[in-house]
């Protein structure tokens, strides 16, 4: 069944509304943060709203309801648009474009040193238009304001669209190998597929409703407690326990959050046992490295034990492992592309494999031109893109195979690691500027669009609805999503002020300051090269490859390389206790109830996740509508 007019009407209505919600939640209110975890609760909320609307409309106009293909496609495009609007993309990128011109002063000397070198098509240069953007109490809809933002907005939206389209072409090339040959599980699509299944058997399961009830009661209680301080709060969210370790070397543990997130426990139980175990084990392993470093006084060397660099190596190791495992598939693709072998048609391919290869090459060429115009040299572009695509493939592989709840990898992108390893003086001033822009989409990798794309194709394939409509709908979302996100953030910034009435810690100021203060450090008194950071990347990569090799030879090996990669992240710092609890719960279920009992329990844990998403969305939207603080179940 093709996508009908009601689908396009709903998409055009929901995409800007969803962008407004994301920006209100993550920037203006700084509460909720739906795009900082793998399963976006805002899109699960929207899917449930559409299902409820279907149930209501279907009673009177059965032919007017959304089809399963339309529901899943709307869910998929809202995921893509949420990622683009979210905490690791446009929310970081847009402040970087406004910060240098407005914050230039005699101290930083940017008027002479930086602003003349900035590519004018990528930043806002009209200081008069930036003043109300930072101070608020104004409107975006003035000719001079719109004119100031038009070219940078179109330039960066074009870049983001090209990047998402590149990922979609790469997903087409990887889909056959991962879905048909390796038959990866794609756990994160389980809930939307079950919710939209014909007849909705999941919703008739009493065990599911038991999980929903527990989640709703907990969130309802805590929601009331936030609105009425006389009601005691049930402490589910994390509390830092670092104060319990005041003396060296134990004080090197640093931030030690302990929380009991029900949805985190439920997500964990649905993961493979080795990944759950590895998540919390390697989190403590990273902390142990810090303690040993302090005990041996190795922490006198800045950044030792180079946790971010090791984690980057681990991600690259996972990406390399995924590419190596598919080496015969890529060899076949090369033969097809050069007409040495005829392509075998696959009804689940939205486009031909040869067309996808051409698409990858065209998108890469466009990105190289874009980055060259931003100031980067060809060598830096090549190395940075290899690292960036390696991380993208790694995140996509993690989610397709295992569905980890987090994969942030803060402060380990090419823009951070290359100047650390080789020293800022190894790069030109133009490279420094170009790499500063990279902070806008490399600060972290939680809301990555590539895994969302292949998960969406898998949903269409598994539900036997055809992937072509899904593919082109996601391409359309890649065009409309960035524009709506820029609009929402600019609209609210001119109303409230990017430096004004925004909830602490005011990320609009922080994100812009982070990028350009780093530029100051590179160009002021630059640090010497730190080749040991590069060695740490190799250590992380090597350790990951060794873990992969052992897993291939030792059935039941408990240490998973994905756990090693994600355990050092901010997200796993918050979720390590729920992962520990989930590991204990799943071990007990499997040992004393067996696999059959575990399968009967799965709806219960899905119910907890669903209940948290629904109530999380309800409280978040209530707070936005009433302009009052409300309970946020995450983070």
């Amino acid at each position: 069944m093709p996508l009908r007019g009601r689908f396009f009407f709903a998409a055009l209505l929901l995409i800007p509304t969803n962008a407004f919600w994301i920006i209100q939640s993550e920037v203006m209110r700084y509460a909720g943060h739906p795009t900082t975890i793998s399963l976006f609760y805002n899109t699960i909320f929207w899917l449930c709203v559409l299902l409820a609307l279907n149930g209501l409309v279907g009673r009177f106009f059965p032919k007017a309801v959304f089809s399963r293909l339309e529901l899943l496609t709307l869910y998929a495009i809202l995921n893509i648009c949420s990622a683009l609007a979210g905490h690791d993309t446009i929310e970081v990128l847009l402040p970087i474009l406004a910060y240098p011109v407005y914050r230039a002063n005699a101290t930083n000397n940017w008027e002479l040193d930086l602003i003349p070198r900035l590519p004018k098509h990528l930043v806002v240069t009209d200081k008069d238009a930036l003043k109300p953007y930072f101070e608020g109490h104004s409107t975006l809809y003035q000719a001079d304001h719109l004119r100031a933002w038009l070219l940078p907005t179109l330039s960066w939206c074009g870049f983001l669209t090209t990047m998402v389209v590149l990922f979609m072409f790469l997903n087409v090339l990887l889909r056959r190998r991962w879905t048909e040959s390796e038959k990866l599980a794609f756990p994160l699509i389980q809930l939307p597929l079950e919710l939209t299944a014909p007849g909705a058997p999941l919703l008739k399961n009493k065990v599911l409703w038991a999980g929903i009830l527990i989640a709703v009661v907990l969130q309802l209680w805590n929601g009331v407690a936030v609105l009425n301080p006389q009601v005691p709060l049930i402490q589910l969210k994390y509390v830092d326990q670092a104060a319990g370790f005041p003396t060296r070397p134990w004080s090197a543990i640093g931030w030690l959050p302990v929380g009991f997130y029900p949805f985190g426990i439920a997500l964990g139980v649905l993961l493979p046992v080795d990944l759950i175990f590895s998540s919390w084990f390697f989190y403590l392993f990273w902390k142990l490295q810090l303690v040993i470093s302090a005990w041996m006084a190795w922490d006198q060397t800045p950044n030792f034990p180079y946790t971010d660099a090791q984690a980057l190596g681990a991600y690259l190791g996972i990406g390399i492992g995924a590419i190596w495992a598919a080496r015969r598939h890529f060899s076949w693709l090369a033969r097809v592309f050069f007409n040495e072998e005829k392509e075998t048609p696959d009804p689940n391919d939205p486009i031909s494999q040869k067309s996808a290869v051409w698409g990858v090459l065209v998108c890469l060429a466009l990105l190289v031109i874009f980055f060259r115009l931003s100031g980067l040299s060809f060598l830096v572009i090549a190395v940075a893109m290899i690292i960036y695509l390696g991380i993208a493939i790694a995140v996509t592989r993690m989610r397709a195979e295992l569905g980890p709840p987090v994969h942030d990898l803060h402060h380990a992108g090419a823009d951070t690691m290359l100047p650390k390893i080789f020293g800022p003086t190894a790069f030109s001033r133009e490279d420094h500027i170009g790499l500063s822009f990279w902070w806008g989409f490399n600060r972290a990798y939680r809301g990555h669009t590539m895994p969302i794309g292949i998960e969406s194709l898998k949903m269409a394939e598994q539900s036997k609805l055809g992937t072509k409509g899904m593919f082109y709908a996601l391409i359309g979302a890649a065009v409309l999503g960035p524009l709506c996100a820029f609009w929402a953030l600019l609209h609210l910034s001119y109303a409230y002020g990017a430096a004004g009435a925004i909830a602490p810690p005011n990320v609009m100021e922080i994100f812009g300051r982070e990028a350009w203060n780093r530029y100051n450090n590179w160009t002021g008194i630059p640090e010497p090269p730190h080749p040991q950071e590069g060695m740490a990347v190799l250590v992380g990569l090597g350790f990951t490859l060794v873990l992969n090799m052992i897993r291939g030879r030792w059935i039941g090996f408990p240490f998973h390389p994905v756990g090693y990669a994600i355990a050092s992240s901010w997200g796993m710092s918050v979720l390590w206790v729920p992962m520990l609890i989930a590991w204990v719960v799943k071990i007990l279920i499997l040992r004393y109830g067996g696999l059959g009992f575990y399968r009967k329990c799965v709806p219960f844990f899905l119910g907890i996740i669903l209940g948290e998403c629904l109530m999380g969305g309800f409280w978040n939207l209530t707070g936005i509508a009433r302009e009052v603080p409300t309970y946020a179940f995450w983070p």
Side-chain angles (χ1 to χ4, degrees):
M1 180 186 292
L3 299 172
R4 297 167 294 177
R6 71 204 67 186
F7 163 83
F8 296 101
F9 175 79
L12 291 174
L13 177 66
L14 287 175
I15 289 174
T17 305
N18 182 68
F20 190 85
W21 179 10
I22 294 285
I23 301 303
Q24 275 277 15
S25 174
E26 296 189 343
V27 177
M28 301 300 154
R29 293 169 54 81
Y30 201 71
H33 297 87
T35 67
T36 60
I37 198 162
S38 299
L39 190 67
F40 296 167
Y41 73 79
N42 63 303
T43 57
I44 293 292
F45 181 90
W46 283 125
L47 181 59
C48 291
V49 168
L50 292 170
L51 286 168
L53 186 63
N54 256 12
L56 179 63
V57 172
R59 290 177 177 270
F60 306 100
F61 308 101
K63 294 183 179 180
V65 300
F66 292 107
S67 68
R68 191 185 191 195
L69 173 62
E70 290 167 338
L71 288 170
L72 289 175
T73 307
L74 284 169
Y75 173 76
I77 64 175
L78 287 173
N79 274 327
I80 286 283
C81 293
S82 296
L84 290 167
H87 212 53
D88 295 326
T89 312
I90 286 174
E91 289 176 22
V92 183
L93 179 61
L94 190 147
I96 293 173
L97 315 184
Y99 194 85
V101 169
Y102 188 73
R103 294 302 183 192
N105 54 50
T107 303
N108 57 40
N109 201 35
W110 286 349
E111 289 280 4
L112 298 176
D113 175 68
L114 172 61
I115 292 173
R117 292 185 169 92
L118 289 173
K120 300 301 183 285
H121 65 293
L122 297 183
V123 297
V124 180
T125 57
D126 185 347
K127 201 165 186 174
D128 292 333
L130 288 174
K131 190 173 187 293
Y133 160 83
F134 277 97
E135 296 180 358
H137 307 291
S138 182
T139 177
L140 169 66
Y141 313 106
Q142 290 181 200
D144 54 335
H145 297 169
L146 292 169
R147 192 181 308 113
W149 282 97
L150 180 62
L151 185 56
T153 297
L154 292 178
S155 298
W156 283 106
C157 286
F159 160 74
L160 292 170
T161 297
T162 304
M163 190 70 82
V164 176
V165 173
L166 168 65
F167 291 149
M168 289 306 302
F169 286 133
L170 288 173
N171 285 330
V172 172
L173 299 178
L174 290 167
R175 189 203 61 79
R176 283 197 194 187
R177 171 69 190 180
W178 288 1
T179 66
E180 297 177 12
S181 300
E182 297 188 50
K183 300 188 184 302
L184 300 184
F186 291 86
L188 291 174
I189 68 173
Q190 182 178 359
L191 184 56
L193 283 175
E194 291 285 354
L195 288 173
T196 58
L202 178 65
L203 295 177
K204 299 172 184 176
N205 191 312
K206 294 180 180 178
V207 177
L208 172 89
W209 287 100
I212 292 175
L213 180 63
I214 290 173
V216 167
V217 168
L218 287 172
Q219 281 223 48
L220 189 61
W221 181 280
N222 279 351
V224 172
V226 169
L227 295 174
N228 182 3
Q230 293 181 341
V231 177
L233 186 74
I234 302 172
Q235 190 60 55
L236 299 174
K237 297 168 70 172
Y238 75 83
V239 176
D240 185 13
Q241 302 296 328
F245 303 91
T247 58
R248 285 177 63 87
W250 299 105
S251 60
I253 287 175
W255 188 49
L256 188 65
V258 172
F260 305 94
Y261 297 89
F263 88 98
I265 297 171
L267 274 173
V269 173
L270 301 177
L271 300 176
V273 173
D274 55 351
L275 178 60
I276 317 172
F277 170 76
S278 298
S279 297
W280 66 263
F281 174 86
F282 280 117
Y283 174 78
L284 297 178
F285 171 76
W286 290 112
K287 292 297 184 182
L288 182 61
Q289 287 191 40
L290 296 173
V291 172
I292 293 174
S293 299
W295 181 41
M296 301 298 293
W298 294 336
D299 60 343
Q300 300 305 305
T301 302
N303 298 326
F304 192 87
Y306 312 115
T307 302
D308 294 337
Q310 288 189 61
L312 172 61
Y315 274 73
L316 294 178
I318 291 167
I320 290 170
I323 293 170
W324 177 254
R327 61 192 182 279
R328 292 179 182 172
H329 176 71
F330 287 117
S331 175
W332 171 78
L333 283 174
R335 294 194 300 274
V336 167
F337 183 71
F338 291 108
N339 297 317
E340 296 176 6
E341 187 173 327
K342 189 175 181 181
E343 179 178 343
T344 306
D346 187 326
N348 288 319
D349 280 341
I351 59 174
S352 71
Q353 298 288 295
K354 191 169 184 178
S355 298
V357 173
W358 274 115
V360 168
L361 295 176
V362 170
C363 288
L364 286 175
L366 291 174
L367 291 174
V368 168
I369 294 170
F370 180 89
F371 290 136
R372 186 70 190 95
L373 293 174
S374 75
L376 291 177
S377 65
F378 285 115
L379 179 60
V380 174
I381 293 171
V383 176
M385 281 298 292
I386 289 171
I387 294 172
Y388 182 74
L389 291 176
I391 294 171
I393 292 171
V395 171
T396 306
R397 175 69 189 204
M398 289 178 190
R399 288 179 49 147
E401 182 179 357
L402 301 160
V406 290
H407 42 75
D408 22 325
L409 190 65
H410 275 80
H411 307 165
D415 58 310
T416 300
M417 298 311 300
L418 291 179
K420 275 188 179 180
I421 295 170
F422 299 104
T425 56
F427 302 86
S428 68
R429 191 62 61 90
E430 286 70 25
D431 285 329
H432 293 151
I433 292 172
L435 289 174
S436 296
F437 290 124
W438 273 56
W439 187 250
F441 56 99
N442 284 270
R443 187 178 184 270
Y445 303 92
R446 291 166 291 194
H448 210 294
T449 55
M450 184 171 173
I452 295 171
I454 200 167
E455 288 163 2
S456 302
L457 294 177
K458 177 63 177 177
M459 282 196 300
E461 175 190 336
Q462 190 165 320
S463 54
K464 296 180 171 45
L465 298 173
T467 58
K468 183 171 288 189
M470 180 71 78
F471 177 84
Y472 287 110
L474 293 176
I475 298 295
V479 175
L480 188 57
L483 290 169
C484 290
F486 263 86
W487 161 76
L489 191 48
L490 287 172
H491 170 83
L492 291 168
S493 294
Y494 274 93
Y496 293 98
I502 296 178
N506 197 328
V507 291
M508 296 289 280
E509 278 284 300
I510 289 174
F511 293 151
R513 185 167 63 243
E514 285 174 341
W516 296 111
N517 282 1
R518 189 178 63 168
Y519 169 86
N520 270 358
N521 295 334
W522 289 340
T523 58
I525 305 176
E527 291 188 10
H530 295 287
Q532 57 270 38
E533 295 267 6
M535 292 300 296
V537 173
L538 296 177
V539 167
L541 190 154
F543 188 62
T544 300
L545 295 178
V546 168
L547 288 178
N548 249 334
M549 182 181 66
I550 296 174
R551 279 177 51 79
R553 290 163 172 76
W554 180 357
I555 297 175
F557 183 65
F559 301 111
H560 202 293
V562 170
Y564 170 67
I566 65 176
S568 68
S569 69
W570 171 88
M572 192 51 66
S573 296
V574 176
L575 286 175
W576 75 275
V577 172
M579 291 298 106
L580 173 58
I581 296 171
W583 176 71
V584 173
V585 169
K586 187 162 187 175
I587 288 292
L588 291 175
I589 289 174
L590 291 174
R591 179 166 296 177
Y592 296 105
L595 187 58
F597 182 64
Y598 168 73
R599 287 173 177 161
K600 292 179 181 178
C601 291
V602 166
F604 173 77
F605 297 109
L606 289 176
I608 290 177
I609 296 167
L610 185 58
E612 293 257 276
C613 291
L614 288 172
M615 289 303 296
F618 168 77
W619 283 124
N620 201 303
L621 291 172
T622 299
I624 292 171
R626 295 184 57 192
E627 296 186 344
V628 295
T630 51
Y631 182 69
F633 76 95
W634 171 259

